[in-house]
Amino acid sequence: MRRQETGDRRQEAEEGQGGLSPSIPDSRLPTPYSPQLTADGSYTFFSTEFGEAYHSQFGARQEAEFKFVEPTQLRQKALQQKSLRLLDVCYGLGYNTAAALAAIWEVNPNCRVEVVGLELDPTVPQAAIAHNLLNDWSQLVPPLTQLATTHQVTTDCLQAKLLLGDARQSIQTLQASGFQADAVFLDPFSPPTCPQLWTVEFLGYVARCMHINGILATYSCAASVRSALQAAGLKIGSTSPVGRRSPGTVASWHDSDLPPLSQEEREHLQTRAATPYRDPQLSDSADIICQRRVQEQQTSSLEPTSRWRKRRSQDAN
């Protein structure tokens, strides 16, 4: 499950409170899988189900590198470790995994990598392969093609699998297996569109799948997401904006190496926008989860976000 909102795919709506050209579409593929050009020359798809694109219009490949690979410090980790484990929440087209593998093997070709991808719709990675969207990472096309087709692949340096279906169930199975990720890519569709994968309960399971020195990165700077990560016991930081004014978020069990939140971001977490999404049984619909959050906001003792924004604007003037 993934995302886009007006302009750039995700403007955090709830806060108001290079390679080869794509191929001719394969008629055997479900529609719509029409590649859309992004600003850095890479392509993405648009989800009619969620009404959002899978990647930023400012650059799909750029986003994978600067919102996910760099913040999780994979190049540094690859120089220090013989093996790495990656958890890609919402594998989608496979860009985040491809960018991560390329970065790791650029600095340490012998590093053994284990990847677990959570994905609802297996036709999405298959369509990305069929349209040649991963050809920017040409050396990775064979294993990622196998991963998209058979949902698992094993080579000398790579062990990867896709866990298909509702990520809320997959993450529980993964956590029970003892999997501990060095890097987590949290990349669902936007919180208002896909609240199921931004709840306190889901992110609690994600956190328990993180190594003690692991790092989680997400494009979202929503106060609701950040408060849910904190509720899971993680420390949070802010990543630099890439192609838009809003930063992303990075989280880990330790805050020593995390870029700090700004004063404005810290204040934002004290408003009703920080009311997290909740899904106690990890089974509720998006509508129920959103309604539950609205009800909690209405009875919250936190300052209304609109009042806080107005006050900040007045203070600035």
Side-chain angles (χ1 to χ4, degrees), residues 75 77-84 101-113 157:
R75 288 183 176 85
K77 289 177 180 287
L79 290 172
Q80 300 166 356
Q81 300 177 211
K82 296 180 179 179
S83 64
L84 289 169
L101 293 175
I104 291 168
W105 290 332
E106 174 188 2
V107 299
N108 183 0
N110 297 316
C111 186
R112 178 155 180 81
V113 184
C157 288

Side-chain angles (χ1 to χ4, degrees), residues 218-237:
T218 180
Y219 67 85
S220 178
C221 66
S224 60
V225 172
R226 289 177 166 181
S227 65
L229 289 168
Q230 290 177 320
L234 298 172
K235 311 297 183 182
I236 61 171

